[in-house]
Amino acid sequence: MALIIPLRGYTPVIGRDCFLAENASVIGDVTMGDECSIWFNTVLRGDVNTITIGNRVNIQDGSVLHTLYQKSTIDIGDDVSIGHNVTIHGAKIRNFALIGMGSVVMDDAEVGEGAIVAAGAVVLSRTKIGPNELWGGAPAKFIKMVDPEQAREMNIKIARNYLMYSKWYTDPDGDVLP
């Protein structure tokens, strides 16, 4: 069972049909929408400020979400995919965005709707990534625009896939592939 820790008068709020891996940690002021999946060794540390997560968000293995005390919060929209080993520290991630594996998104950065942060990118504090933009590198820079419909469809597919994967862990027949 995931480690869910009330702290400073805040108890994490978990939406319906969410999957939390056995060694995921959800602490303090965290609110999660429906059909989310929080994967192995992931930490949502709402100890010093608020973390708000929309519906059908998948936060993959080894990711860490944290904030700055009284300064920054995390706000993640719907149908967002956060890749393996991502660090998000006090940033805003809009609907249908994809944060690639191993990326870092720092305080007061904003990732626009349908935007993609490439694997390994470092999005510096106060960076504003517009809707449907692809950014990559360290520090992250604009690379190109992405087709809004393709980005949306890709992120809905990833979100649905992770919802399916999570059912493998909760369904008695979970070892059977669809």
Side-chain angles (χ1 to χ4, degrees), residues 115-131:
I116 298 171
V117 174
V122 178
V123 179
L124 299 178
S125 294
R126 295 179 294 284
T127 300
K128 304 295 183 208
I129 296 175

Side-chain angles (χ1 to χ4, degrees), residues 102-104 116-124 134-143:
S103 296
V104 175
I116 298 171
V117 174
V122 178
V123 179
L124 299 178
L134 169 63
W135 284 55
K141 302 284 186 206
F142 173 80
I143 296 173

Side-chain angles (χ1 to χ4, degrees), residues 5-168:
I5 302 174
L7 188 68
R8 298 180 50 232
Y10 297 100
T11 299
V13 176
I14 312 296
R16 68 173 179 74
D17 296 328
C18 289
F19 168 75
L20 280 67
E22 290 181 10
N23 60 354
S25 299
V26 182
I27 303 158
D29 191 3
V30 176
T31 302
M32 186 181 313
D34 298 333
E35 300 181 314
C36 293
S37 58
I38 311 302
W39 291 87
F40 297 95
N41 293 317
T42 294
V43 178
L44 308 181
R45 229 179 94 200
D47 55 353
V48 300
N49 220 329
T50 303
I51 297 174
T52 305
I53 299 168
N55 299 308
R56 295 169 306 281
V57 172
N58 63 88
I59 303 174
Q60 298 169 22
D61 311 71
S63 293
V64 176
L65 280 64
H66 196 237
T67 61
L68 280 175
Y69 181 62
Q70 297 181 335
K71 292 188 179 179
S72 67
T73 62
I74 292 176
D75 184 17
I76 298 174
D78 297 332
D79 299 295
V80 170
S81 292
I82 297 174
H84 308 291
N85 295 311
V86 166
T87 299
I88 297 178
H89 204 279
K92 309 275 186 264
I93 314 293
R94 301 297 178 210
N95 296 342
F96 309 110
L98 171 66
I99 310 300
M101 292 183 279
S103 296
V104 175
V105 183
M106 294 301 298
D107 296 287
D108 300 316
E110 185 171 331
V111 178
E113 184 168 319
I116 298 171
V117 174
V122 178
V123 179
L124 299 178
S125 294
R126 295 179 294 284
T127 300
K128 304 295 183 208
I129 296 175
N132 307 306
E133 293 181 355
L134 169 63
W135 284 55
K141 302 284 186 206
F142 173 80
I143 296 173
K144 67 177 187 174
M145 297 299 295
V146 296
D147 179 272
E149 197 55 41
Q150 283 183 328
R152 183 180 172 110
E153 286 177 24
M154 176 185 68
N155 284 327
I156 288 172
K157 180 180 179 183
I158 293 168
R160 285 184 183 147
N161 284 348
Y162 269 86
L163 184 59
M164 177 182 69
Y165 305 153
S166 71
K167 299 300 182 204
W168 295 348

